[in-house]
Amino acid sequence: MLSSRLMFAALAASCFTPIVSAQLVWSPQLGAPFPIARHESALAFDPVGGGLVLFGGSTNLPVDPNDTWRWTGGVWQQLNPVAAPPARYGPRLATDTARNAVVLFGGVAFNFALPQIMVSLNDTWEWNGSNWIQRFPSTNPPPRSGHALAYDAGRGVTVMFGGFDITAATSTYFADTWEWDGVNWTLRVPTTPMSPLTNHSMAYDAARGVVVMADGIGPSRGTWEWNGVAWTPRGPCPTGYGARLAYDGARNRVVWYGGADNQGYALPIGVWEWDGLAWTQRAIAVSPPPRFWHMMAFEPVTEQIVVFGGRDDSQPSLQQRKGDTWTLGPVYRATTTPFGVACGGAAGPLTIATADRPWLGTTLTVDWTNTPAGSVVLLAFGWSRQVWLGVPLPLPLGAIGMPGCSLLVSLDYFEARATMGSTLQQLVVLPYVAAVLGLELSLQGFGLDPAANPAGITASNGIALRLGGL
C-alpha cells in the first residue's frame, strides 16, 4: 500500500498549493439563450446528440410549451424536432444507454386559460438524438404525474414508481412499480409491499447496481433501493419535498439537491450525498437560490451535475419559476490517463492499468498483466514526467540492457510485490493530504524478468493520476 510518507514528502514540493476545505463548487452559467423560466420539466443525458435534453414544464405563458432544448458545452440550444410530445408539466425522463434512447412518460396537460382542465397523461415517447418518437406498447401504466423514473443499466430496463392521477375527481395516488424494456411496460410485484408516494425522485447507482429512491410525499417517504425484486428501506432522507436526485458517475455518489416545506417555500437544504449507507450534507461556500421541482442531471462529458429552473413559492408570483442554470462539480477532479509504451517481457509487455479514480482518501486498484511468475515487481511513484535528477524524461534504457524500454516517471518512491502468476492486483491507498489536491502523481511498473533482456528487467507503460477531492 502507498505509504502516507509519500504524500507528506510531497508537501515540500507543493508548499504553495492552497489548502481547500470545500471539495465541491457551484458555478452559475450566464450564457444566453436560456429556456424560459419553468418548473416540473424533465432533463436527462442524450447519448446520441450529446449533452442533456430538456422537455416540457410549467411556465408563466398562457399555454405551456412543448419545446425541446439541449445543454452542451455550457450553452443551451433550442432544438426543432419534426415531432414532439404534447405540452405538459411533470413528465419524467430516463436515459436508456443500451438502446441509446431517452424515455419519457406521463405528466399533466394544463391550460392557464382554462384552469379547470387538467389531464394526466400516460403516453410513452423516446428521444433518438434528433426527434421524438411515440411508442405504442400493448400495456400502459395508468396516467400520472409526480412519479419517478430511472434507467437500471444492470438489468436493461427503465423503472417507474408511484405518482398520482390529477384527472380523477378524487386524485388517485399510486404505489405501483413498472418497468419499460423498449417494447412494453410490465407491472412488477415487489416482495415488499409499498405505500403511495408522489413528488419523489430516483437515480441508478451504477457502482452498487441498485435504483435509489428518496424524498416525496406519502407514507413511503424515505430512502429506498430497488434491485429488480424488492424495495429495501434504507432509512430516512433529508427533510423537505420536491428535491431531485442524480448519480454522479465520476464520484460514484447519488446527489440530492433542493426541496421545500409543505407551503411550497424553498428551503436552503443544499446538497446531500448517498453512499449506500447514509446521507451526508456537503458544505459548499456559494449555492444557488433555494428551489424545488427543478431539473437536475449528470452530464458525463464535462462530469458535472447541471441544475436548471425550479420554483420557490416564497417569492413574488412572477418570480416563482426560475430560469437560471448552475453546474456542480469537484474543485479538484480526479482523472486517470495512461501514457507511454511497455517493453517486452518473457510473457509479453508488462502493463499496468486502473479503472479507479484517484480520489484522495480512497484506495486505488492497480491491475498488472504479463508479470513474471514467481518473481518480484516494483511500482514506482513519481511527481514528475518531465525530469528526474536533472535528466529529461522519458529516458531510453537500451544502454543498460533494456532495449525498447524507457523510464517514464521520476523515481520518488517504490513498492515491491511478489508475483505468483501472470497477473497481479495491487492496492494503493491514497491518504487525504490537502496540499497535493490537483497535483499529478504518475505510476510505472518494473518486473524482475531474467529471460526478458540482458538487464533482466522489464518496464511497463505509465499512468498519470490527477489527484482529486471528493
Side-chain angles (χ1 to χ4, degrees):
M1 294 183 180
L2 175 59
S3 167
S4 60
R5 71 177 181 177
L6 174 63
M7 287 297 180
F8 286 110
L11 295 178
S14 58
C15 58
F16 298 107
T17 302
I19 297 177
V20 180
S21 57
Q23 295 307 318
L24 296 177
V25 60
W26 282 107
S27 300
Q29 305 297 309
L30 304 177
F34 284 105
I36 188 172
R38 66 190 71 196
H39 70 267
E40 278 284 40
S41 182
L43 185 69
F45 172 61
D46 181 351
V48 177
L52 304 176
V53 62
L54 178 149
F55 178 81
S58 175
T59 68
N60 286 317
L61 298 175
V63 178
D64 287 331
N66 67 335
D67 50 350
T68 303
W69 291 75
R70 174 177 288 135
W71 170 264
T72 182
V75 176
W76 285 106
Q77 174 191 8
Q78 186 168 6
L79 306 179
N80 296 291
V82 175
R88 67 195 65 200
Y89 73 88
R92 296 294 184 263
L93 295 180
T95 303
D96 184 331
T97 52
R99 298 188 305 111
N100 288 329
V102 178
V103 181
L104 179 150
F105 182 84
V108 173
F110 182 78
N111 189 330
F112 277 98
L114 300 169
Q116 72 277 16
I117 299 178
M118 293 185 292
V119 179
S120 295
L121 305 169
N122 69 335
D123 48 347
T124 302
W125 293 74
E126 291 186 341
W127 173 256
N128 65 5
S130 58
N131 201 29
W132 289 101
I133 301 171
Q134 186 170 8
R135 303 301 187 189
F136 297 95
S138 59
T139 302
N140 283 293
R144 68 191 66 201
S145 64
H147 50 295
L149 207 66
Y151 178 70
D152 184 331
R155 298 187 305 113
V157 292
T158 297
V159 181
M160 180 174 69
F161 180 83
F164 68 103
D165 181 0
I166 201 172
T167 305
T170 301
S171 296
T172 301
Y173 292 83
F174 298 107
D176 49 353
T177 303
W178 293 81
E179 292 184 344
W180 168 255
D181 62 5
V183 177
N184 207 15
W185 286 100
T186 301
L187 178 63
R188 301 301 305 272
V189 182
T191 57
T192 48
M194 296 292 287
S195 300
L197 190 65
T198 185
N199 288 306
H200 49 295
S201 187
M202 292 198 306
Y204 177 68
D205 186 331
R208 299 173 51 245
V210 293
V211 171
V212 179
M213 179 171 72
D215 195 22
I217 301 173
S220 291
R221 190 181 193 279
T223 305
W224 297 80
E225 291 183 345
W226 170 253
N227 63 2
V229 177
W231 285 104
T232 301
R234 303 288 282 158
C237 62
T239 303
Y241 84 96
R244 291 293 181 261
L245 304 185
Y247 180 71
D248 187 325
R251 299 186 304 116
N252 294 334
R253 298 286 192 277
V254 174
V255 179
W256 163 305
Y257 172 67
D261 62 17
N262 291 334
Q263 283 72 49
Y265 288 9
L267 300 172
I269 295 172
V271 174
W272 293 71
E273 291 183 345
W274 174 254
D275 62 3
L277 297 175
W279 289 101
T280 302
Q281 189 170 19
R282 299 302 303 266
I284 304 176
V286 178
S287 295
R291 68 196 63 212
F292 66 101
W293 288 350
H294 45 286
M295 288 62 76
M296 186 166 89
F298 178 70
E299 205 288 294
V301 176
T302 60
E303 296 186 341
Q304 293 176 321
I305 286 177
V306 179
V307 168
F308 173 77
R311 187 179 179 102
D312 180 4
D313 287 354
S314 66
Q315 301 297 314
S317 59
L318 293 179
Q319 298 178 16
Q320 289 176 339
R321 295 171 178 84
K322 298 182 178 299
D324 50 347
T325 304
W326 293 75
T327 58
L328 176 68
V331 177
Y332 293 104
R333 191 177 310 279
T335 62
T336 302
T337 306
F339 68 95
V341 179
C343 57
L350 181 69
T351 61
I352 58 173
T354 180
D356 301 329
R357 297 289 188 101
W359 300 107
L360 295 186
T362 67
T363 299
L364 197 74
T365 300
V366 177
D367 294 302
W368 296 72
T369 55
N370 297 327
T371 56
S375 184
V376 174
V377 293
L378 298 96
L379 188 61
F381 301 83
W383 292 106
S384 176
R385 287 196 286 159
Q386 286 73 46
V387 65
W388 179 58
L389 299 178
V391 178
L393 299 176
L395 175 63
L397 300 176
I400 61 171
M402 298 172 60
C405 302
S406 293
L407 176 64
L408 303 174
V409 306
S410 58
L411 302 179
D412 298 316
Y413 182 76
F414 281 103
E415 282 192 353
R417 290 289 183 273
T419 62
M420 300 294 292
S422 61
T423 62
L424 174 70
Q425 277 198 334
Q426 184 171 353
L427 299 182
V428 176
V429 175
L430 300 175
Y432 185 88
V433 179
V436 301
L437 281 167
L439 296 186
E440 183 179 280
L441 174 66
S442 297
L443 312 180
Q444 185 179 15
F446 297 90
L448 303 184
D449 192 348
N453 53 42
I457 302 174
T458 58
S460 78
N461 59 293
I463 303 175
L465 307 177
R466 183 69 63 181
L467 302 174
L470 288 168

